[in-house]
Amino acid sequence: LRVAVAELTGDAKSEVSHSIISLREECQQATINENYKEEFLHTLEELAICFDNACYIAAIGLSGKILEVCLKEILITNNISFDPNSMIGSLVRLVKEKIPSEYTDPSLVNIANIINQSRITAVHAKERIPIPSRDQTIMVVFATRDVVRRYISRI
């Protein structure tokens, strides 16, 4: 029923995409850097669309983009320098090392690995492309949501 109504109204089709849209609304009210706020909000919207349409590789890739922005902003806010080309895994490790008071989910490094694996296979030709499951994607989306919520609660 939710899917049928969503198709008619353009609303979220699942609890997961609904949570992403709710997060987008929270972020719209937050004081996010104006240089990328519009793109950040649009990325959240695309994430919900990709999830609802079972585009799990794309959803995981977009989650990675969102995580990178948040982790970099956390480092910038704490005056910690980093390589602008750093990937999520190294950003997570840097936050854990340099800002021990910053909560980071213990599974975030594993989630970073899932994101990077999905991103690499999405843009580079590989013999075998592992397609993430819906459950893996949900795990990545909710971990991303947690990081974003913690980030916006401090700005």
Side-chain angles (χ1 to χ4, degrees):
L1 182 62
R2 178 189 284 248
V3 172
V5 170
E7 287 175 355
L8 293 172
T9 62
D11 288 340
K13 295 179 185 177
S14 68
E15 182 181 336
V16 175
S17 58
H18 178 73
S19 72
I20 298 166
I21 296 302
S22 295
L23 178 63
R24 183 189 183 284
E25 291 167 6
E26 290 174 45
C27 289
Q28 199 161 13
Q29 303 305 314
T31 310
I32 296 176
N33 186 326
E34 289 300 321
N35 291 330
Y36 59 77
K37 183 174 184 173
E38 187 176 324
E39 181 182 351
F40 189 81
L41 295 172
H42 184 73
T43 302
L44 286 169
E45 193 174 308
E46 281 193 23
L47 174 56
I49 292 167
C50 289
F51 184 85
D52 274 346
N53 289 288
C55 299
Y56 300 136
I57 293 172
I60 287 176
L62 292 170
S63 292
K65 177 181 177 181
I66 292 164
L67 274 174
E68 276 186 21
V69 169
C70 288
L71 292 168
K72 287 178 179 180
E73 281 298 310
I74 289 167
L75 292 167
I76 289 167
T77 301
N78 287 279
N79 296 316
I80 296 170
S81 61
F82 59 91
D83 179 354
N85 296 318
S86 294
M87 300 294 280
I88 298 167
S90 59
L91 293 170
V92 169
R93 281 187 290 280
L94 196 55
V95 167
K96 282 184 174 189
E97 289 171 13
K98 301 289 184 176
I99 319 167
S101 62
E102 182 74 33
Y103 173 81
T104 51
D105 187 302
S107 67
L108 207 50
V109 172
N110 295 334
I111 289 168
N113 290 334
I114 291 169
I115 290 169
N116 288 333
Q117 186 178 42
S118 291
R119 281 178 160 181
I120 289 167
T121 58
V123 295
H124 299 290
K126 298 283 182 186
E127 286 183 31
R128 185 167 175 248
I129 301 173
I131 307 296
S133 68
R134 182 177 192 276
D135 290 338
Q136 268 185 316
T137 307
I138 290 169
M139 176 184 63
V140 170
V141 166
F142 279 110
T144 301
R145 187 180 93 158
D146 181 61
V147 171
V148 172
R149 280 190 143 160
R150 290 174 188 277
Y151 164 66
I152 65 172
S153 72
R154 287 185 302 270
I155 55 175

